Amino acid sequence: MIPGVLRETVARDGERVVYVERERLLEAMTWLKQTPGQDYDYLVDVTAVEFRDRERPLEVVYFLRSLTRKADLRVKVELDAAGELAVDSVWGLWHGADWLEREVFDMFGITFRGHPDLRRILMWETYAEGFPLRKDFPLRGRFSRAEQVRQALNANPEAHYSLDELSIADAWGDLPDDMRERLKRGERGVVPE
Amino acid sequence: MTRTVELELATPGVDAQGQPARVPLAASDLGGEHLLLNMGPQHPATHGVLRLVVELDGETVVRCIPHVGYLHSGFEKLGEYRHYNQIVPLTDRTDYLSPMSNNVGMALAAEKLMGIEITPRCTVLRVIACEMSRIISHMVWLGTTSIDLGAFTPFLWAFQERERIYNLQEMWTGARLTTSLTRVGGLMADIPDGFVEKLRDFTATFPNTLNEIDRVLTRNAVWAGRTQGVGVMTAAEAINYSLSGPMLRASGVPWDVRKDRPYLGYETYDFEVPVGEHGDVYDRYLVRLEECHQSNKILQQALARLPDGPINVDDPRVILPPKSRAMSDMEAMIFHFKQVMEGVKAPVGEAYVGIENPKGELGNYFVSDGSAKPVRWRIRPPSFINLSALSKMAEGHLLSDLVAINASVDIVMGEVDR
């Protein structure tokens, strides 16, 4: 019995779908990976779904696979859009979750607790328009094209580097003084008007 | 892990035992300063707009931090505003080196969601499309990788073969790149006259080119020296990093979606799945080269068994009536109108279909709320996930090896960024 299981269904493609309590996700995943007879050793994909029906909670979907048993399993966690959008990261179990969880964070704004490097991945780090795959995000984006171009042209050079990289450069004394000054003031990215 | 490769060319790159001589990996503390090097987004060796920020100790990579997203086009968001058949053109533009098999992957997922059974002729034609895509994608990989590592001749040979497949694609769909081959429930067109003969010609001569490439690269001291022992992923690491396709199999994990989760009747074809054992760049090369041979074999079998019959399912709610009937027959016109204006409605539910794309497992995941447009369309992008292991593979190698490792992942930025 999977720990924290709420209910089970079968998807239209015949796969088993298991809904798990949010707080016990990591426990359930560890059990699925390590229990003999389960052996879900391969993480196929991580994604999230938001429905057009605003009443329905968001779902974080994990596609698991056991390479030895040739079996698939879909694990879902439901998140109330009005509540805190956060789940535990499964990076510790499958390192493949690294970029996948970053993408879900980038596109839906769902936080993965315990992820080693949770930054935006497809959008740039100083992107301020929100989370593109949420249903309340308009198809054309929130800022006009002119505003996007203005921000891109006015961005400081440090906007193109992650804080990690800037700290590496700083550690070896390679950071220009004006950049250090701006970073110290907490400014990063767009030049203020 | 050591191994001996019989080398044909006597070059200074080989030691007394016939092993390729390599510069030993540098110890991490040379005492020098570390350097932050920015490579890309416009760099010929990053295969598109990939940007790598590399922390270097001398010439050794200490950390490699990839930046992706320069080609992000929001396909998944766009898909939520499109009918299922209107999504097909978007899939062309994800992995644009194998557009036809992306079309097939998307169509299979939509059909699974709607519970549609495709016709026998369509099934075989889709297999042909998938295997043609595998060959052109691997040819591009081989050509560009050999250029990255300094060999120009295989590039020309590989691109010549690719050109022949592209001509066939153009013959079939009218487009070389934006093929949009599939429709939900069938194909946009049957193959034209003369296609089978031309493809048969191709399958007869293509192995010669592969053998030439094999002769010029496999036992080449420079090639072996640049690729062996570089970017090693063990089987356990490859599984843990969710690698798929040739990347996973080169590490010795015999997982191929065509064999292990068959679709399109792949279980009825006779082909082998090549598996590497060292998980380095050289093994990835060997695996891809052999996959081309196997794809060629599958193409021959598919051509031999190609049945006659319709390519589309017989369901006017899913397939557009022919134009002549739509203009003359009232009922056909109504179906035509409803499909164009309202689209094909999918039942409530969700479906995921993974297919073995040239780059790895391409997954299409549809969630439907009963309308004609999906609530969510997710592409599982194989090269995005394979690329996420780049930092791990590059650590401790030379900067010049980073180029070889990056090439071996076989990324296509249209798919990484989507």
Side-chain angles (χ1 to χ4, degrees), chain A residues 12-13 42 48 65 70 76, chain B residues 113 243 260 350 352 376:
Chain A
R12 281 193 63 82
D13 53 8
Y42 187 82
R65 176 175 294 160
K70 298 189 182 180
K76 288 188 177 183
Chain B
L113 178 66
L243 300 188
D260 297 299
E350 59 175 55
Y352 171 91
R376 175 94 171 95

Side-chain angles (χ1 to χ4, degrees), chain A residues 45-184:
Chain A
D45 201 359
V46 179
T47 189
V49 180
E50 186 180 11
F51 292 89
R52 294 201 179 101
D53 178 4
R54 290 289 162 82
E55 303 298 306
R56 280 187 75 167
L58 270 77
E59 290 176 352
V60 184
V61 192
Y62 298 83
F63 298 76
L64 304 186
R65 176 175 294 160
S66 164
L67 293 181
T68 42
R69 294 195 300 119
K70 298 189 182 180
D72 281 16
L73 179 70
R74 218 164 285 162
V75 178
K76 288 188 177 183
V77 178
E78 288 181 323
L79 299 177
D80 187 7
E84 187 203 9
L85 289 179
V87 284
D88 287 327
S89 169
V90 297
W91 178 83
L93 295 168
W94 299 281
H95 283 2
D98 184 351
W99 283 22
L100 293 168
E101 289 183 342
R102 275 177 68 186
E103 195 189 337
V104 173
F105 166 70
D106 189 4
M107 292 290 148
F108 289 88
I110 295 168
T111 311
F112 290 88
R113 290 181 292 234
H115 189 286
D117 185 24
L118 197 65
R119 294 181 284 128
R120 282 190 177 268
I121 185 160
L122 294 178
M123 312 312 283
W124 52 101
E125 276 180 68
T126 49
Y127 184 73
E129 294 183 49
F131 301 105
L133 279 180
R134 296 294 298 273
K135 291 293 182 214
D136 56 6
F137 189 93
L139 183 59
R140 304 195 67 130
R142 290 221 165 84
F143 297 166
S144 67
R145 182 52 63 90
E147 171 64 15
Q148 289 175 348
V149 171
R150 193 192 70 81
Q151 288 196 3
L153 293 179
N154 286 345
N156 284 326
E158 62 266 30
H160 303 292
Y161 292 88
S162 71
L163 288 173
D164 242 9
E165 291 155 358
L166 293 169
S167 72
I168 294 172
D170 193 36
W172 298 97
D174 280 344
L175 219 53
D177 286 340
D178 58 329
M179 218 187 253
R180 292 195 62 176
E181 287 301 310
R182 284 196 296 267
L183 286 168
K184 244 188 220 157

Side-chain angles (χ1 to χ4, degrees), chain B residues 281-298:
Chain B
V281 179
Y282 187 75
D283 276 13
R284 286 170 206 147
Y285 153 73
L286 290 180
V287 165
R288 290 202 176 98
L289 195 69
E290 183 55 30
E291 275 190 11
C292 286
H293 280 290
Q294 299 302 329
S295 290
N296 202 54
K297 238 170 96 180
I298 298 173

Side-chain angles (χ1 to χ4, degrees), chain B residues 332-397:
Chain B
M333 198 182 105
I334 292 170
F335 278 125
H336 190 279
F337 179 81
K338 279 185 82 79
Q339 251 190 71
V340 173
M341 300 309 288
E342 293 172 6
V344 187
K345 288 209 172 60
V348 182
E350 59 175 55
Y352 171 91
V353 172
I355 71 163
E356 188 68 33
N357 235 32
K359 312 272 188 293
E361 178 177 344
L362 171 81
N364 276 279
Y365 176 58
F366 279 115
V367 181
S368 165
D369 62 354
S371 66
K373 295 169 184 173
V375 168
R376 175 94 171 95
W377 170 43
R378 160 75 179 165
I379 314 164
R380 182 213 190 253
S383 46
F384 176 80
I385 299 170
N386 289 349
L387 185 64
S388 71
L390 179 69
S391 326
K392 159 93 179 77
M393 288 188 282
E395 264 169 38
H397 284 290

Side-chain angles (χ1 to χ4, degrees), chain B residues 5 20 117 209 312 314 347 392:
Chain B
V5 176
E117 285 281 329
T209 312
N312 291 330
D314 183 23
K392 159 93 179 77

Side-chain angles (χ1 to χ4, degrees), chain B residues 27 34 47 79 102 113 123 154 225 269 322 366 402 414:
Chain B
H34 285 198
H47 295 232
N102 302 337
L113 178 66
T123 313
Y269 292 86
F366 279 115
L402 174 61

